[in-house]
Amino acid sequence: MNEGNTSNMKLSQLRVLVAVADCGNFSAAALHMQISQSAVSHAIASLEEDLGVVLLSRGRHGAHLTPVGDRITAHARKVLQLVEAIGKEANLEKGLEGGSLRIACFRSVATHILPTAIARFRHCFPNITISITENDTFPSIEQALREGYADIGFTYLPTSNEFETWEILRDDYILLLPPTTKLRNNQVTWKELAKYPLIVSSIPPCNALTRKCLSIAEYPLNIAYEIREDSTIVSMVQQGLGAAILPRLAAEPVPPGVGVCSLPAHLERVIGVAILANALHSPAVYAFLDALRNKGRFAEKTAV
């Protein structure tokens, strides 16, 4: 053997040395590292050649560390621990092993969209704290982004160009009818709809979208109630106080007996996720966006 030469020494060789020391033989170490036994033998032989010493004594009962091999393995463990520490420090700086993420949203998103995305995200980054703030209006969500109170916000699209946005889903508006209503083919005409007192949301832009849709009706329609809370609207329909127009996500879960059908004209809201454009965002923000859109490392089912 030549004189000790550490310039060619590789981390992979040190990992193999530690694995053989822990497992007691080459085959078990190969199985543990999911490499071939010949790769283990080659790594040890190359390391011994580079260092100029025998690290392991081979025999019928496995492989055992020589005295110098024992001392070198102790140093190898320290080197690998330092390498792991370097990786942890880098991840901490990148914001993926700690820190927090603040999300501003509205109730139907918090109920139906966020849980799956958070499950994916937490599977990969369990040490990042996620806080969710439910807002009553979309302007308040966008204001939270502007003022730095939220990192990610959910809003209607399109929105202003001060935000970078991605479409998440298109949510159809549906018609909820009192339990006493008898539906035919889940269809309602404008004429039939005109018979009901209408219950709609008072929150913009939902209110504006609903009124725009109703403006094309062929019969005069009676908006009897404008209500802020989705759950209140659904309860009023359940009590027979009128028919309600709501986005499907906002209406769910629909109580038993309440009729659900399509509007005479198609109406939908486009829900998107937004971050402040031209701002410095942590990698955790982009990682959560990937989880939300099921892209990147989250494209495969990690946790649902």
Side-chain angles (χ1 to χ4, degrees), residues 177 181-188 196 259-261:
L177 295 169
T181 304
K182 294 182 179 181
L183 297 176
R184 293 176 298 176
N185 300 322
N186 290 332
Q187 293 293 325
V188 170
Y196 294 93
V260 178
C261 65

Side-chain angles (χ1 to χ4, degrees), residues 5 36 62 71 153 175 185 195 212 236 257 294:
N5 179 11
S36 67
R71 297 194 300 273
L175 182 66
N185 300 322
K195 299 176 183 178
K212 184 177 180 180
M236 291 177 70
N294 204 19

